[in-house]
Amino acid sequence: MKKIIAALDGLNLSESVTDYAIYLAREFDAYIVACLLEEVSYHSELVKNEIWWPYYSVTDEKQYQTISKKDEAVKSESLKKLRQKFDDAGIQYTVHKDKYIALQSLVKEGHFADLILVDENYSFSNYDHNKPSHFLRDLLTDAVCPVIITPGKFVPIDRFVFAYDGSPSSAYAIKQFSYIFPHIKKQEIEIVLVSNDKSTSHLPNHKLLKELLKQRYPSVMQSVLRRDNAAEALAEHIKTENKNCMLIMGAYKRNPVSMWVHHSTADKLISDLNVPLFITHN
Amino acid sequence: MKKILFACDGKNFSEAGFEFIKWLRLQEPIKVTGVFFSSVNYHMLLATAIGGYADAYIGYKEDSESEIKYSISMFEKGCEKNSIEYRVHRETEFWNLDEIEKETRFADLLVLSSAQFCTDLNDEQPNSYLRQTIRSAECPVVIVPEHFEAPSEILLAYNGKKDSLYAMKQFCYLFPQLTRLPANIVYIKDEDDATIPSLGFLSEYAACHFSELNIEKMHFDAKTFFPAWAAGEKSKLVVTGSYGRSGISGILSKSFAEEIIRNKNLPVFIAHQC
């Protein structure tokens, strides 16, 4: 049984993360740990002056108190809703609360888990409006276990798509995915060979890759994308042909030779696509 | 179906290593790729060959080819006899890190023998070839000692850090059948008051994966006493992650995993992140 962390924000409970958690628990027999994360300076609405601000006044204190109370109410309401939802679904789960530093707590939880589920819109900040947020970027760099970034809305998965660009990390991602989901019955498997070089369709170690896939999955579809801008081509391919899929790809940042290294590339895939992304680095 | 790599140099075909593969075959169907390479770097003799004494070079090359052929035939016979699907990847060249990286990238497990691997060059294990092979492998490695006995217990070394957990996870992914064996997670620290770090997290994770679980704490110096303590009565498989690949590997050369390899009495499963 695999242990999956559902990273959740009590102030903004993600429907998509909880839906995917239930889906994975049912489909692949997983144990869900709902991890309610918090951040000290993150509230349900913008706090004008924080306590460490030099011009902190009595009115600020009053405002802070009201917001804190509101936060608490929202959080307990979310927890109730969450428990209700998981109980109704009849899955095995537990809730971890009181995680005051969102990123560090989640990375540590990830050491003791097989997978992290997180919403693409989570930032745990009132100020950070980037997409992907700093929180998400740091999580992808620091997490030891694979991370699934869920889109805004849940869609059941019909197909798993591996993106392979010849880098070690993309091969590593395929292996790790197959370990976490060893028995895939209903869904189709597709491998997309992405090459930045227009002139050749040859990818490094193609034969070894084929052998690896053959042992895991009886039938694998294959497509080749040759384009100057690999990320764009990949995004387009997913949008047109695979609406209900999960995209599996290698390292984010760590590996200097990987094509996902450029901020724009990964950002584009995270913000453009409405499919879950399985990302891991070795 | 898992893809296993079995690496041998020259005539040093490892019986014990192959016993381990046979035992894996009992658990589930596997595909084994045998990687064979020369024991001696005969290219070093090339300089003399150019100088007019080609005999030594040719002689060495012929010898090493016949040695490799012997190992390959042993491997092929063994696979056929035990109905194991196999492929031979023949490297007539000397041991080559790039090849190992490439092969391990697309494999699930690499099996090596501590009694045999590159012992013609240095028989004090772990020699530098074994060390570098483990470090550059992109999949977990099992080091099998001279005599292999089917393990009846899994011993997982835990140090509270992410590397030991990484190894534990990779072990569970690769051998889901073996998680039914009794599992013993040990935290070893030479301090009386040392408590097991993140025990709640650890037991939550381990309970998801192992059916018969025991977590304990030991007070002794792991590097010195662990091999003797672990040897015990039952045959065990040790799982550890303490084998870094960092630039400061000098510090790690006296690692805990190496101590077990040096003692040559227990098979060790090593997994590390690159």
Side-chain angles (χ1 to χ4, degrees):
Chain A
M1 187 183 253
K2 299 292 184 291
K3 179 179 162 188
I4 298 178
I5 305 284
L8 291 166
D9 175 0
L11 299 176
N12 173 19
L13 203 65
S14 163
E15 286 289 320
S16 111
V17 167
T18 46
D19 286 342
Y20 275 105
I22 292 169
Y23 178 75
L24 294 177
R26 282 184 179 157
E27 197 94 335
F28 300 100
D29 181 34
Y31 178 74
I32 304 296
V33 173
C35 198
L36 288 167
L37 304 168
E38 294 172 31
E39 194 65 66
V40 185
S41 59
Y42 170 56
H43 308 284
S44 49
E45 57 188 89
L46 204 63
V47 176
K48 208 171 113 214
N49 291 332
E50 292 277 359
I51 195 158
W52 47 78
W53 188 248
Y55 310 111
Y56 193 75
S57 63
V58 181
T59 35
D60 290 335
E61 175 65 26
K62 269 188 188 158
Q63 188 215 12
Y64 184 79
Q65 293 298 344
T66 15
I67 291 178
S68 294
K69 261 187 203 155
K70 192 183 157 196
D71 283 358
E72 286 311 314
V74 175
K75 279 177 198 164
S76 60
E77 183 58 34
S78 299
L79 181 62
K80 232 166 97 187
K81 249 170 74 184
L82 179 74
R83 283 189 192 279
Q84 185 66 43
K85 193 169 176 182
F86 281 172
D87 284 336
D88 289 349
I91 58 165
Q92 286 192 59
Y93 75 97
T94 173
V95 178
H96 287 185
K97 282 189 295 183
D98 306 328
K99 306 279 177 190
Y100 296 116
I101 309 169
L103 181 68
Q104 276 88 333
S105 318
L106 187 55
V107 169
K108 190 177 177 191
E109 289 272 0
H111 290 171
F112 297 88
D114 297 305
L115 190 65
I116 293 175
L117 277 174
V118 67
D119 193 292
E120 64 173 2
N121 296 316
Y122 274 178
S123 66
F124 293 95
S125 159
N126 294 90
Y127 303 96
D128 182 6
H129 303 296
N130 294 314
K131 206 178 172 195
S133 62
H134 288 289
F135 166 78
L136 219 52
R137 286 186 193 172
D138 291 343
L139 175 69
L140 290 175
T141 328
D142 294 350
V144 183
C145 68
V147 177
I148 291 181
I149 300 178
T150 66
K153 208 174 145 243
F154 168 78
V155 183
I157 300 159
D158 294 337
R159 186 185 284 187
F160 291 105
V161 180
F162 299 115
Y164 181 73
D165 65 343
S167 67
S169 61
S170 52
Y172 179 80
I174 296 174
K175 278 201 280 182
Q176 294 301 314
F177 175 84
S178 74
Y179 296 154
I180 295 173
F181 303 108
H183 308 295
I184 291 173
K185 288 169 207 135
K186 284 187 227 154
Q187 291 87 351
E188 293 169 323
I189 307 283
E190 183 186 3
I191 178 126
V192 181
L193 305 171
V194 196
S195 164
N196 277 328
D197 190 355
K198 263 187 185 171
S199 55
T200 170
S201 63
H202 177 78
L203 272 165
N205 310 320
H206 191 189
K207 261 192 182 164
L208 285 168
L209 174 76
K210 263 188 161 172
E211 193 185 51
L212 183 86
L213 285 169
K214 213 178 106 190
Q215 276 155 14
R216 286 164 163 74
Y217 308 108
S219 73
V220 178
M221 288 178 289
Q222 183 182 314
S223 23
V224 184
L225 294 178
R226 271 173 286 164
R227 199 82 77 77
D228 284 336
N229 192 338
E232 230 168 59
L234 188 59
E236 217 171 87
H237 176 79
I238 298 286
K239 270 187 203 162
T240 49
E241 292 183 27
N242 306 303
K243 284 195 179 115
N244 303 346
C245 74
M246 184 192 279
L247 180 64
I248 292 101
M249 56 189 208
Y252 188 90
K253 277 185 200 172
R254 282 271 173 91
N255 189 342
V257 290
S258 171
M259 69 165 188
W260 319 118
V261 74
H262 308 295
H263 266 283
S264 56
T265 319
D267 292 359
K268 207 170 168 45
L269 288 171
I270 293 174
S271 57
D272 270 20
L273 293 176
N274 280 324
V275 300
L277 302 177
F278 178 100
I279 302 179
T280 185
H281 60 71
N282 60 347
Chain B
M1 192 180 191
K2 299 278 154 39
K3 186 179 160 190
I4 317 284
L5 286 182
F6 180 60
C8 286
D9 66 303
K11 63 176 189 309
N12 291 333
F13 178 80
S14 163
E15 293 284 346
F18 200 76
E19 283 296 315
F20 180 78
I21 286 174
K22 269 159 69 181
W23 178 67
L24 286 185
R25 175 68 187 84
L26 295 178
Q27 325 287 330
E28 66 169 333
I30 52 174
K31 181 172 184 180
V32 186
T33 302
V35 182
F36 299 90
F37 52 87
S38 168
S39 287
V40 184
N41 190 354
Y42 53 80
H43 281 291
M44 275 158 66
L45 294 165
L46 203 60
T48 50
I50 295 161
Y53 301 97
D55 290 0
Y57 173 69
I58 294 167
Y60 260 120
K61 193 161 180 174
E62 279 172 358
D63 279 357
S64 77
E65 296 231 332
S66 68
E67 281 175 354
I68 291 176
K69 269 185 195 149
Y70 162 79
S71 286
I72 292 177
S73 71
M74 292 282 285
F75 173 71
E76 287 179 335
K77 266 184 218 156
C79 285
E80 276 159 20
K81 206 173 147 193
N82 297 290
S83 59
I84 297 171
E85 201 184 320
Y86 71 95
R87 177 171 75 90
V88 173
H89 180 109
R90 201 182 153 192
E91 280 295 309
T92 41
E93 296 292 319
F94 186 57
W95 171 86
N96 177 345
L97 272 186
D98 288 346
E99 271 309 307
I100 288 168
E101 271 182 14
K102 197 178 97 182
E103 286 281 356
T104 51
R105 186 174 306 150
F106 296 94
D108 296 306
L109 182 74
L110 171 64
V111 179
L112 298 172
S113 151
S114 62
Q116 237 87 43
F117 193 72
C118 286
T119 43
D120 292 351
L121 299 143
N122 181 358
D123 63 359
E124 196 181 301
Q125 291 290 17
N127 59 31
S128 60
Y129 300 98
L130 185 70
R131 256 184 219 157
Q132 289 186 44
T133 308
I134 297 170
R135 285 207 188 104
S136 49
E138 291 188 14
C139 69
V141 185
V142 166
I143 315 287
V144 187
E146 209 165 344
H147 302 287
F148 172 73
E149 223 180 295
S152 55
E153 190 186 305
I154 310 297
L155 188 63
L156 301 111
Y158 174 71
N159 63 2
K161 299 204 178 86
K162 61 183 178 189
D163 59 342
S164 61
L165 284 149
Y166 181 77
M168 191 184 297
K169 283 187 220 174
Q170 296 299 316
F171 178 81
C172 296
Y173 298 159
L174 278 176
F175 306 117
Q177 307 86 351
L178 299 186
T179 54
R180 282 183 221 122
L181 289 176
N184 198 2
I185 300 176
V186 278
Y187 174 71
I188 306 169
K189 196 150 197 199
D190 197 12
E191 282 167 21
D192 283 341
D193 60 341
T195 50
I196 302 177
S198 322
L199 181 60
F201 286 106
L202 175 69
S203 44
E204 190 180 62
Y205 181 79
C208 282
H209 288 274
F210 296 101
S211 42
E212 210 176 304
L213 178 69
N214 175 39
I215 300 175
E216 61 181 327
K217 186 172 67 183
M218 289 286 151
H219 301 293
F220 53 70
D221 181 19
K223 279 174 202 157
T224 328
F225 300 110
F226 183 80
W229 173 78
E233 289 160 8
K234 279 185 182 168
S235 52
K236 297 179 181 89
L237 175 65
V238 181
V239 177
T240 171
S242 59
Y243 223 106
R245 199 198 182 188
S246 64
I248 47 160
S249 54
I251 298 165
L252 294 157
S253 69
K254 278 240 162 23
S255 85
F256 164 76
E258 291 217 343
E259 236 8 86
I260 307 166
I261 298 170
R262 193 168 292 133
N263 269 274
K264 292 183 185 172
N265 57 4
L266 288 170
V268 199
F269 174 96
I270 300 168
H272 60 79
Q273 275 193 303
C274 299

